[in-house]
Amino acid sequence: MAAKSTLHSSSPATSSLLSCKSDLVHPRKTQLGFAPRILSKPIRWESCSGIREQSQGKVRQRGRLFTVRCTAEGIERGMLMGGGRGGIEEAATAEALDIPERFKVVALMACVMCLCNADRVVMSVTVVPLASKFGWSTSFLGIVQSSFLWGYIFSSVIGGALVDRYGGKNVMAWGVALWSLATLLTPWAANHSTVALLAVRAFFGLAEGVALPSMSTLSSRWFPSHERASAVGISMAGFHLGNVIGLLLTPIMLSTIGISGPFILFSSLGLLWLTRWANGVTSDPRDSPFVSKSELRLIRAGKTDSPADDGQFPPLRLLLSKAPSWAIIFANITNNWGYFVLLSWMPVYFNSVFKVNLKQAAWFSAVPWGTMAVSGYVAGALSDSLIKAGYSLTLVRKIMQSIGFIGPGVALLCLNYAKTPVTAAAIMTIALSLSSFSQAGFLLNMQDIAPRYAGFLHGIANSAGTLAAIISTIGTGYFVQWLGSFQAFLTVTAGLYFVTAIFWNLYATGERVF
């Protein structure tokens, strides 16, 4: 073996140094672990006897301490002499088990989206005992339900512009802090006056309006294009699970603690989440101290866009001058129309149509949202698979959105013929599961056509969708009061799904427009 070694000996009371140089193999760090690499640069081996303490990068065996200093990427790793192969394998295993930072970010986003929707749905359940307590009519109940949207409609555009300017991390943090405060104040406002309740709910909506633009922009920054649909699918899975958690926990807490119980719980969880978010996430992976070089290369290499903030306000007239923008806006209108009708009125629907009690209604309402969480991730994974297989982005977005609108439209028409709560829950499950495919349609398309102004465009579309949600939420109450049936409004909603699906397939595109 061509190797040089020099041995320095000393008395047993002192340590000895073994220094050897090799030009054969030098381990280097990769994303999966360590791989051999031929180098001419030597490795320095140091050993000391009589040392009993162990530290990072050092391994002890039979009273000796060995250290390997590797120059590749500035890594220092311990290697077990005599059992050196095992030391390398252990280091490789530990490295392979490291969770990429982008996965931690999407996990935190899924958690906050879960809280976002759980905070919303609490009111959909507590409104039933509140209506009995204060003697609200069905039409006024719709006004209370829609008060959340009064603030939401304004913050969507402003929040989207703020996200583009200041980054998703900061805007999301302020949103969570403010809506958690509003959630905490809701039971106090309800006992104080109706006006106070409506004001607090509007403030709650104002704070929550930044959540979706922040999530969408963060996903585009932290994930390459071929992983973005899956990332959004995971985040929105948390969003839909928030419905399940809110619908199941709220009736239990109402019966044990009282009306204030669920509001205190979810506001506390929001503030707890905020402590982790503030210290562990950045708006851009290039600014994060926790992202490895290999992961950052993966994120940047997979991107087809390079958003840049020039400090100018997004051009509203330009964004509204193109048909693909209107395809997104109309899709958001239709999606929010159907979504908020089901979100706000599902417990009331089961309670009034099938005469089930509040706890049973919550269970029947929770099942569809739970399956929607799963189907949303499936839609994202399927979308990414089609893109990797070579299908055009435009075709994939159209396929996903068509499933997301035509499927729920057909299901809502079938809901008019449901005779039992089990049948109705099954049909609603199908409707909501298929509607989640929209997440891989218009929700991602904003980043496709306008990567620089995606937050602002999301805000515009979300504001238009919120206006539609207000009309549909209040309109459902009046339809039920005047006609005594949900059927007419479900038919109108189905028709809207079909018309928008046609418009989407005519004008949507996956190409960059702005």
Side-chain angles (χ1 to χ4, degrees), residues 74-379:
I75 305 161
E76 183 175 307
R77 285 290 183 267
M79 188 177 296
L80 190 63
M81 295 298 292
R85 180 180 179 86
I88 297 177
E89 290 176 350
E90 290 176 6
T93 302
E95 190 68 25
L97 292 176
D98 284 346
I99 301 175
E101 194 64 25
R102 67 187 187 280
F103 293 169
K104 299 176 186 178
V105 172
V106 79
L108 283 172
M109 286 197 296
C111 290
V112 78
M113 297 307 292
C114 179
L115 287 172
C116 175
N117 227 16
D119 287 345
R120 293 186 195 182
V121 83
V122 165
M123 196 62 185
S124 298
V125 180
T126 55
V127 76
V128 176
L130 286 175
S132 301
K133 180 179 179 179
F134 297 111
W136 295 337
S137 64
T138 306
S139 56
F140 185 74
L141 191 150
I143 294 175
V144 174
Q145 293 275 55
S146 68
S147 59
F148 156 81
L149 301 169
W150 302 349
Y152 192 80
I153 192 173
F154 294 107
S155 64
S156 295
V157 175
I158 299 173
L162 290 175
V163 167
D164 289 336
R165 178 70 64 87
Y166 299 108
K169 176 207 171 171
N170 295 327
V171 177
M172 180 74 89
W174 277 104
V176 173
L178 293 176
W179 89 53
S180 296
L181 176 63
T183 301
L184 186 63
L185 294 175
T186 299
W188 168 84
N191 290 325
H192 186 269
S193 67
T194 303
V195 174
L197 174 62
L198 296 179
V200 169
R201 293 300 293 173
F203 178 73
F204 172 72
L206 188 69
E208 280 214 344
V210 304
L212 283 174
S214 297
M215 182 275 295
S216 178
T217 301
L218 284 167
S219 297
S220 71
R221 299 290 192 272
W222 275 90
F223 286 85
S225 299
H226 64 275
E227 292 182 357
R228 193 181 300 165
S230 297
V232 171
I234 293 172
S235 298
M236 294 304 293
F239 187 75
H240 301 312
L241 284 176
N243 285 325
V244 179
I245 294 172
L247 287 168
L248 296 182
L249 287 184
T250 302
I252 298 173
M253 301 192 73
L254 286 175
S255 60
T256 55
I257 300 176
I259 290 179
S260 62
F263 294 99
I264 294 174
L265 171 65
F266 290 117
S267 62
S268 300
L269 291 175
L271 296 176
L272 181 63
W273 174 91
L274 191 58
T275 60
R276 178 64 181 87
W277 178 262
N279 298 319
V281 174
T282 59
S283 294
D284 193 294
R286 290 172 290 187
D287 302 326
S288 175
F290 308 112
V291 178
S292 66
K293 293 181 180 179
S294 59
E295 183 180 9
L296 186 59
R297 285 195 297 269
L298 173 65
I299 294 172
R300 300 306 305 167
K303 287 188 177 298
T304 57
D305 49 31
S306 300
D309 182 16
D310 55 9
Q312 298 180 355
F313 194 78
L316 178 61
R317 180 177 296 181
L318 176 63
L319 289 174
L320 297 181
S321 66
K322 304 295 183 180
S325 296
W326 286 103
I328 291 174
I329 292 171
F330 288 147
N332 209 329
I333 288 173
T334 301
N335 183 75
N336 280 19
W337 179 288
Y339 183 86
F340 278 95
V341 164
L342 295 178
L343 176 66
S344 301
W345 288 96
M346 200 179 292
V348 180
Y349 169 81
F350 282 106
N351 181 262
S352 60
V353 174
F354 298 108
K355 308 303 178 185
V356 298
N357 61 45
L358 189 59
K359 287 185 178 180
Q360 291 174 324
W363 276 101
F364 281 117
S365 303
V367 171
W369 299 114
T371 57
M372 190 178 186
V374 177
S375 62
Y377 174 74
V378 171

Side-chain angles (χ1 to χ4, degrees), residues 414-465:
C414 296
L415 188 61
N416 291 326
Y417 302 98
K419 301 300 181 183
T420 66
V422 175
T423 303
I427 294 174
M428 285 187 177
T429 298
I430 295 173
L432 288 172
S433 296
L434 294 176
S435 72
S436 65
F437 278 71
S438 295
Q439 296 167 191
F442 80 89
L443 193 59
L444 287 172
N445 194 229
M446 302 169 195
Q447 295 287 344
D448 298 331
I449 71 169
R452 290 183 61 192
Y453 309 115
F456 188 59
L457 179 58
H458 196 152
I460 295 171
N462 219 20
S463 292

